[in-house]
Amino acid sequence: MATDLLQIHPSDITFRFELKKQSSCVVRLANHASHYVAFKVKTTSPKKYCVRPTVGIVQPHGTCDFTVTMQAQRTVPPDFNCKDKFLVQSAVVPAGTTEDDISSDLFVKDSGRLVEEKKLRVVLITPSSSPENGDLSQDPLIPMPSPLTVEKSLEVAQGLKEDGTDRGTVVPRVVEKEGDMKQVNGIEKLSFPKDFKELESRLGIMDAKLREAEGTMAMLNEEKRRNTREKNLLKQELEMMKKKMKIKRAQEGFPFLFVCVVSLVSMAVGYYIHP
């Protein structure tokens, strides 16, 4: 096939690793074709990671996101080298296919269906590797003063000093304030995308937990209704058994009573015939 069924971004699952803290990564699946594509996500360490959702349908020329959450870890991997991997299976499905129709048999390559598999490795980075904790002068988001601005500031400062006035002390404070403002603006530009991404990942996790809770509640309600139906059936069967037992007892008692009555009548007739 010339193109992949699904385009995966990012190509690696990257976590900002901190001890005893959860970390999340959002992966986007893009379908650039005109057919429906089902996907399923697997991992080599299911107890270590939480994937929501694990299965789904990507519509033609559409996208779908899934969130991978790494549970809080108590130890640091050697050299931050993580050997865990994820497998994204994809298969072309007909229109109208739902998530309930997705099973492991759908991704069998020998079934004659177009199936693809992609492996994603796990990459761990430290919080200190983020730009805000490093050298701010190397970050492209922070505007640096141009050489012309620096030269002009030096000329103004030298001119004021040559005049011998006390205003020469004003220049360093103005330049320092301007530099501080640039640094603050740069830090805000750095923090806003990070905070937005973190809030977006938390929102995805909470949404996944809410869907899971709703599914659990629906399952409990269905189980309650099923138990109520079984209880009513048991009551009906018990009533029928009671009726059958009453009828049986009546049938068993009738011959004995009949024999007693016949015996009494016979004795009375015999007594009057043969006094």
Side-chain angles (χ1 to χ4, degrees), residues 17-19 48-49 70 73-84 122 124:
F17 185 86
E18 295 185 61
L19 285 177
K48 186 176 178 181
Y49 302 97
M70 182 177 64
Q73 301 298 306
R74 298 183 178 273
T75 58
V76 180
D79 300 329
F80 270 70
N81 184 16
C82 184
K83 297 182 180 180
D84 299 332
V122 176
L124 304 180

Side-chain angles (χ1 to χ4, degrees), residues 236-261:
Q236 293 177 2
E237 291 179 0
L238 182 60
E239 293 294 333
M240 293 179 63
M241 289 181 64
K242 287 182 179 180
K243 291 180 180 178
K244 288 181 179 179
M245 290 179 64
K246 289 181 180 179
I247 295 173
K248 186 176 181 181
R249 287 178 181 176
Q251 291 176 352
E252 290 177 355
F254 176 75
F256 177 75
L257 180 63
F258 181 78
V259 171
C260 293
V261 172

